[in-house]
Amino acid sequence: MLVVAGTLTVIGWLMQHLADQGLIANGAYGIATLVAGLPIIFKAISALRARVMSIELLVSIAVVGAVAILEFEEAAMVTFLFAFGNFLEQRTLQKTHQAIQNLTEMQPTTATMVVDGQYQEVEIDEVDEGAVLVVRVGDQIPVDGEIISGSAEVDEALITGESKLVNKTTGDQAYMGSIVENGQILVQAQKVGEDTTFGKIIELVEEAQDNQAPMSKFIDRFAKYYTPFVLVVAILILLFTKNLRLAITILVLACPGALVIGAPVSNVAGIGRGAKAGILIKGGDVIDQLAQVDTILFDKTGTVTEGRPTVKSIKEYQEDHWLALAADLEKQTNHPLARSIVEYYEKRGQKTTADFNLPITTIKGIGIQSEYQGQTIWIGSRRVLTENQIELTTQQARDLQVIENDGQSVVLMTVDQKLVLMVGLVDQIRKGVKETFEKLKQSGIDKQWMLTGDNSVIAEKIAKTIGIHQVEAQMLPEEKALFLEQLQNDGRHVLFVGDGINDSPSIAKANVGIAMGNGTDVAIETSDVVLIDSDFSNIQNARRVAKATMRNTMQNVGIAVGTVALLLIGVAYGWVNMASGMLFHEISILVVIFNAMRLLRMKF
């Protein structure tokens, strides 16, 4: 359609200006106007039915007016250039969505399932949780799951953005979309389809790109009132000057095409650039809030640390099977410290956890509680002692002090108000944490707090290592959320970074909540930004994307408004006519689009 309209317009111009065939030229212009103009008129009518006076209405009235005064060339030029602008807009949006389309196309469609010792190729939709799949060299891993046998070098670039190969072996997590480059593994499915990390990436980015920024919403409202305003101005000009051509020219040149697409294109391009780097920003509102953040609060375990602690010391105060019971209870939770205790027990003598079939009650910020043979069992942080008013022996108090002074996190197990087990665990600080906090401070986030449920000795030691001076320790989840709310009441724009279910209240309450990609589903669902590869430096990169997107949007608004103002001045002084003005309009749309696409090439 666009090609036909453009070709006919060119033919009309050649017939009119070179062959002096006015009748043929007007015929070509007329058909071109119909071909390119009818879709515009239909959009205007649809908008009117919804009681919205759209930009298309301005163009439609202007074109009808141009035809009425027999200015067929201007009518053809206007409709073609407006249609061409829409085409450019759609192409740009399509390009910024291309990364998501590519992801969708990269989803594995089949899997090789192990059934009664035999390999059976099935459609991916037939794979259920718990199924065992074999993945060989060159195959994509079709599910999220645990490797139960074998080892392999895996390319996880589709998930993490990192091109280096990762060694995977029994007990490691495997992610849908990753490619086995060397080796063979058996994977037990834990998440399939849309529930996988890969599926959530696609879902989150699609939702984000459909979520308008405040600037986009403002422009939509602006256009709703701007159109009737321009119509009134054009009518007044017609009444006072009796110049129909001038009134129609005003209608055409006042169309703020670049303004309408400027903010959405910037928004989509910024979100697309973030997704390319493993930063999922859930919409334009988040970009606006993230650019304004001046305070950061963050959890310790699994956030500034790797979240893969290992047992360094263990003290057993009764010769009984308490460690086995602790491992059995802890395997029912998803806390990193709990997983580490289970792994330690299973590796110590290649044992597997016993199955005591004991229900547990989770007490947020403290630990878990259960009943065993009439005895009350508690496993958790130091708060277990104060919660149950337990007094330590001299030796136990000395052991606890030594472990904590060494910077180890402590898990305590009590049975009927007696301490029976003390476990000390160490966790590695994530790469680049100290540098990231320094960069955030330089960029304007001058208030930085670490909030943790761990004890103050460990918290202070970690904080000193990463260069943080403000620490709040031994905090319950509700206390973290209350602390955050107090900062907001003081006028601070707060960013909260966490990974676990305990962090979800604070992540949800913050102006912007960031979840590490290795965190729980609850934290990821309630967050505004997800760092897929849990790269801490991407916190700073996410903010850079947000600020760059906001700057880009304002630049586009300035280009659009400036273009309209200059064209109207040109009309007033007789320097600009309808066709030349429309050409400048489309040039401004191109400038806005190319300006937004610079975000896709943003370097970190």
Side-chain angles (χ1 to χ4, degrees):
M1 181 189 73
L2 186 63
V3 174
V4 172
T7 302
L8 288 170
T9 301
V10 170
I11 291 173
W13 190 88
L14 292 174
M15 290 294 101
Q16 180 178 354
H17 296 283
L18 298 182
D20 196 23
Q21 296 291 324
L23 187 60
I24 297 175
N26 287 340
Y29 286 142
I31 298 172
T33 302
L34 284 173
V35 170
L38 283 177
I40 299 171
I41 292 173
F42 289 149
K43 282 186 179 180
I45 293 171
S46 296
L48 279 175
R49 285 175 178 169
R51 298 181 180 179
V52 174
M53 300 183 74
S54 65
I55 298 302
E56 285 80 9
L57 180 61
L58 280 182
V59 177
S60 300
I61 294 173
V63 169
V64 171
V67 171
I69 61 174
L70 305 180
E71 293 290 350
F72 298 111
E73 180 181 2
E74 279 76 3
M77 288 286 187
V78 167
T79 52
F80 169 72
L81 289 172
F82 192 83
F84 185 60
N86 284 335
F87 168 75
L88 290 176
E89 178 187 352
Q90 294 304 315
R91 282 296 300 270
T92 304
L93 294 175
Q94 182 182 359
K95 184 169 183 179
T96 56
H97 280 92
Q98 193 63 49
I100 307 307
Q101 292 173 359
N102 290 343
L103 282 176
T104 304
E105 292 169 1
M106 290 178 183
Q107 293 182 88
T109 57
T110 61
T112 304
M113 191 183 302
V114 181
V115 181
D116 297 329
Q118 302 294 316
Y119 294 163
Q120 180 180 338
E121 187 165 327
V122 297
E123 295 294 321
I124 192 68
D125 294 339
E126 298 178 33
V127 178
D128 296 322
E129 293 179 19
V132 176
L133 311 170
V134 62
V135 189
R136 293 162 288 204
V137 174
D139 289 347
Q140 273 187 306
I141 298 173
V143 295
D144 280 5
E146 181 181 353
I147 298 174
I148 59 175
S149 177
S151 62
E153 289 184 320
V154 178
D155 179 359
E156 295 184 334
L158 203 60
I159 303 298
T160 66
E162 294 289 333
S163 57
K164 62 184 180 183
L165 298 180
V166 181
N167 290 316
K168 296 280 187 176
T169 188
T170 303
D172 289 339
Q173 285 292 305
Y175 299 103
M176 177 183 179
S178 304
I179 300 173
V180 173
E181 297 288 351
N182 184 23
Q184 179 172 305
I185 52 177
L186 290 180
V187 178
Q188 185 168 37
Q190 294 174 330
K191 296 178 181 178
V192 297
E194 295 178 354
D195 294 330
T196 63
T197 300
F198 186 68
K200 287 184 180 296
I201 291 175
I202 297 172
E203 179 185 353
L204 291 176
V205 178
E206 285 178 339
E207 288 177 356
Q209 292 187 331
D210 290 334
N211 185 348
Q212 287 188 313
M215 180 60 73
S216 300
K217 295 173 183 176
F218 164 76
I219 290 170
D220 284 347
R221 292 195 299 271
F222 171 82
K224 185 170 67 173
Y225 296 107
Y226 180 76
T227 296
F229 170 76
V230 172
L231 286 173
V232 171
V233 169
I235 292 170
L236 290 174
I237 288 174
L238 177 61
L239 292 175
F240 282 101
T241 67
K242 309 301 182 183
N243 189 335
L244 181 58
R245 181 183 181 85
L246 177 61
I248 292 171
T249 301
I250 293 294
L251 286 176
V252 172
L253 300 189
C255 298
L259 181 64
V260 173
I261 73 164
V265 170
S266 296
N267 185 40
V268 171
I271 292 171
R273 178 63 187 94
K276 188 177 178 182
I279 305 167
L280 299 188
I281 303 173
K282 300 182 183 179
D285 285 334
V286 177
I287 286 179
D288 180 65
Q289 289 291 330
L290 189 53
Q292 299 180 53
V293 162
D294 56 21
T295 302
I296 181 171
L297 309 180
F298 56 94
D299 179 47
K300 177 178 73 67
T301 304
T303 302
V304 297
T305 64
E306 294 282 356
R308 293 192 295 269
T310 56
V311 174
K312 184 176 181 180
S313 55
I314 187 164
K315 302 291 183 181
E316 298 180 77
Y317 299 105
Q318 290 185 12
E319 294 185 4
D320 209 329
H321 56 281
W322 298 122
L323 180 59
L325 179 60
D328 180 73
L329 296 175
E330 292 281 48
K331 75 180 181 182
Q332 299 181 55
T333 76
N334 56 14
H335 195 281
L337 298 182
R339 291 196 298 266
S340 299
I341 292 173
V342 175
E343 290 172 4
Y344 172 81
Y345 175 77
E346 291 182 342
K347 288 178 181 177
R348 195 173 83 165
Q350 288 76 49
K351 300 176 182 178
T352 57
T353 55
D355 192 0
F356 291 90
N357 290 318
L358 298 178
I360 64 169
T361 301
T362 300
I363 314 297
K364 285 188 177 182
I366 300 176
I368 58 174
Q369 186 266 332
S370 186
E371 297 290 329
Y372 173 67
Q373 294 182 352
Q375 299 169 300
T376 301
I377 311 293
W378 281 82
I379 304 175
S381 66
R382 237 179 184 273
R383 285 180 176 268
V384 167
L385 302 178
T386 54
E387 189 76 14
N388 295 281
Q389 299 179 337
I390 296 174
E391 295 288 336
L392 300 181
T393 66
T394 303
Q395 183 59 49
Q396 289 171 342
R398 187 181 299 116
D399 290 342
L400 182 58
Q401 184 176 11
V402 169
I403 288 174
E404 290 183 338
N405 287 344
D406 188 44
Q408 300 176 44
S409 297
V410 179
V411 174
L412 305 174
M413 180 178 186
T414 66
V415 178
D416 280 348
Q417 295 189 304
K418 290 183 179 179
L419 181 66
V420 299
L421 186 67
M422 182 185 301
V423 183
L425 304 100
V426 292
D427 199 356
Q428 296 298 314
I429 295 174
R430 291 186 189 276
K431 181 180 177 182
V433 169
K434 185 174 183 178
E435 294 79 5
T436 298
F437 281 124
E438 184 58 37
K439 289 177 181 176
L440 287 169
K441 186 177 295 183
Q442 292 171 3
S443 71
I445 303 184
D446 54 345
K447 299 294 184 182
Q448 302 176 346
W449 271 277
M450 182 167 77
L451 310 183
T452 177
D454 219 333
N455 71 78
S456 58
V457 176
I458 297 170
E460 292 287 352
K461 187 169 183 176
I462 294 289
K464 185 177 180 180
T465 303
I466 62 178
I468 297 296
H469 304 293
Q470 295 163 303
V471 180
E472 296 290 334
Q474 293 180 279
M475 297 189 79
L476 294 170
E478 55 267 28
E479 292 173 336
K480 291 182 183 181
L482 181 61
F483 184 85
L484 185 154
E485 190 173 358
Q486 289 171 343
L487 288 173
Q488 290 175 321
N489 292 338
D490 291 337
R492 311 295 297 190
H493 286 79
V494 183
L495 166 66
F496 188 93
V497 188
D499 78 310
I501 191 167
N502 288 346
D503 299 321
S504 55
S506 297
I507 288 175
K509 188 178 287 290
N511 296 89
V512 178
I514 294 184
M516 310 303 280
N518 62 345
T520 63
D521 289 344
V522 174
I524 291 173
E525 290 292 340
T526 56
S527 67
D528 303 301
V529 180
V530 181
L531 307 183
I532 292 300
D533 58 356
S534 299
D535 183 348
F536 205 82
S537 65
N538 269 343
I539 296 173
Q540 166 66 359
N541 291 337
R543 190 159 185 269
R544 285 185 60 199
V545 167
K547 292 180 79 69
T549 302
M550 294 302 295
R551 284 195 304 269
N552 193 274
T553 300
M554 295 308 298
Q555 291 165 3
N556 284 348
V557 170
I559 292 168
V561 173
T563 299
V564 172
L566 289 174
L567 287 176
L568 293 180
I569 292 171
V571 170
Y573 283 93
W575 300 334
V576 176
N577 61 26
M578 191 184 299
S580 62
M582 200 62 192
L583 177 61
F584 280 113
H585 246 309
E586 300 312 316
I587 290 174
S588 73
I589 289 175
L590 276 174
V591 172
V592 162
I593 287 172
F594 288 135
N595 185 50
M597 290 179 68
R598 291 190 303 113
L599 292 171
L600 296 172
R601 299 189 296 273
M602 184 179 176
K603 302 292 184 184
F604 295 143

